[in-house]
Amino acid sequence: MPTIYEVAERAGVSLSTVSRVLNGKSSVNKALKERVDQAVKELNYRPNSVARSLANSRTDSVGVLVPELNAPFFGDLMQAVESTLRAQDKHVIITVGRNCLETEKDAVDFLISRNCDALIMHAEALSDDYLLDLNQNKLPIALVNRKVEGLPNACITLDNEKGGYLATRHLLELGHKNIAYISGPAYKADACLRLKGHERALIEAGLSVNPQLIFNGNYSEEDGKIGLLELMARDLPFSALVCANDWMASGAISCARDLGMSLPQDLSIVGFDDVVFAHHVFPRLTTVSNPVADMAEMSAKYILNKVYGQDHNVQHCFEPSLVVRESTINFES
Amino acid sequence: MPTIYEVAERAGVSLSTVSRVLNGKSSVNKALKERVDQAVKELNYRPNSVARSLANSRTDSVGVLVPELNAPFFGDLMQAVESTLRAQDKHVIITVGRNCLETEKDAVDFLISRNCDALIMHAEALSDDYLLDLNQNKLPIALVNRKVEGLPNACITLDNEKGGYLATRHLLELGHKNIAYISGPAYKADACLRLKGHERALIEAGLSVNPQLIFNGNYSEEDGKIGLLELMARDLPFSALVCANDWMASGAISCARDLGMSLPQDLSIVGFDDVVFAHHVFPRLTTVSNPVADMAEMSAKYILNKVYGQDHNVQHCFEPSLVVRESTINFES
DNA sequence: CTGTTAGCGCCTTCAT
DNA sequence: ATGAAGGCGCTAACAG
């Protein structure tokens, strides 16, 4: 690998001149610039990014933290972040948090030790205080899908309440009156908001909220199944079910089928997130779209602004929308 | 951020002593070591990985190239690579190739410019020659799911031929005699091998290979649908269908359903890869498992051996196995 | 076993 | 506009 010094020698200039033409910051005599360009080409010179980082204490890398690598939702997130950043010659260092406090902390430490210029996180277990600390530690961060008081700019969120509302209102419009709900874990803000939206729709329609029709799951496919069984065991009739994410909806669907129910006639089901497999389940899942990719792209743009002096418009709150497929149907009394 | 120099000063030793205790390579007087450890703790010192990289020309990072980030198959791959590597304090820089030659080359250039110590790739479009060059360029590489002559060690592959064989033999054992096949693109080695396995099973059973029962798809869901329609239009009866991956199987399944067929009674379908959504499709998909995660982990171990002086056993060829679910059934004449 | 001294490749004042 | 020189934080000979 040739160094900047060899380029300088070949071009017959000093290495600072080479540095200048490379970075294009300061102006250089045209003739010299051409000689340098020529030398760069002849030597097939590539600047050493490590040396550059050491000299200007920027690595052009941003750390990314996601709970898992092999889930469609986070796949979309990473895809959007990676392509947005790489288009600006920045790169991503991806780490996994596994929904576990220790692992998430480790991952962040790791990213910091790697001198990332900024962090983009979908943090599940890290506390608000921890995140505030991180940020005050002068490390720019962006938080996807999470709202932290005190970090209004860093947060890129979805209007989860509205999403829950849309799901339930759709069922109400189809004539359903008894609507069960399988929620995400109560300690997650998005889960609470989705549930709140569900309740608002109910109340708005003049119906009451019956806790017996609500089951608290943990967003896993398994809990969709468990939830449905539990709800049915409570012996209150319901003709429709909202699940707080598509995984649980999928679990509920296969469970229903195992019980011999025919869908959607016997039970209308709505999911949440519109992950890619939502149209693989049968019947194809009616769900609430979650524009993760857009949010992720926005988080990357926010970082580009904040750290690399770019100037993108950034939107902090995104709107979900209903995606009607075949898992919901009019209520027939 | 404190530097190694400040640690040395506080501990009252030279900075090389600090470096020694940090790296644990060479032995250090116990008392001094303790003073250093103490100073490190008090200052909350964290070595600067960039400076370290510059000094020893190793970044402890390995570049990863995958076609997409938001696909279950590659999600599994990345997950395995990331966790294996990070357990050894190496990190991954992930790039996307989009099945496109230019993009893949860009990605590799990018990774090289980042001074990755090695590359782990699932390359689709890069030619064998290109990969050979890369390797001769003294950059260690590992190739997942690809066989390149001249790079026997770098390749971690699946016995695709056997996989194709298993799929078809399963159907034969169920009594099917007319078995259609939707293949992957002919320019992909894995697609050819899977098809070859299918043909071997047929021949072994005393049946002939009818090209009219073979359709060449491109591994996309859409092509599963197109393939099925095309095969049916050819007007040769078949009671079973093998698809060279799960995406196409999924496309074929929903197409069949749209045509009013009932599955698996009217048509038995086998997929390939056993990606996570295979059990979301209905009927749950019988398929051939592809141990990507194992292969990916192995590729990481190979790199660990090759670049970081570790000593793992590495296995270069993996075996697929049949996963029987509900999309296949006995042939009833 | 410990400290001194050069670099690693680049950027950036500082003079010129 | 250009060149010289110092430094980013660390590792690795080399002496002692």
Side-chain angles (χ1 to χ4, degrees), chain B residues 3-4 19 23 45 48 52 55:
Chain B
T3 73
I4 197 174
S19 178
N23 297 312
Y45 167 78
N48 180 321
R52 171 176 290 176

Side-chain angles (χ1 to χ4, degrees), chain B residues 267-296:
Chain B
L267 184 66
S268 282
I269 298 182
V270 183
F272 202 116
D273 282 346
D274 195 20
V275 297
V276 65
F277 69 72
H279 73 277
H280 287 295
V281 310
F282 179 74
R284 284 190 264 265
L285 193 62
T286 292
T287 187
V288 176
S289 82
N290 184 340
V292 230
D294 296 339
M295 298 187 350

Side-chain angles (χ1 to χ4, degrees), chain A residues 4 19 23 45 48 52:
Chain A
I4 197 174
S19 178
N23 296 313
Y45 167 77
N48 180 321
R52 172 176 288 176

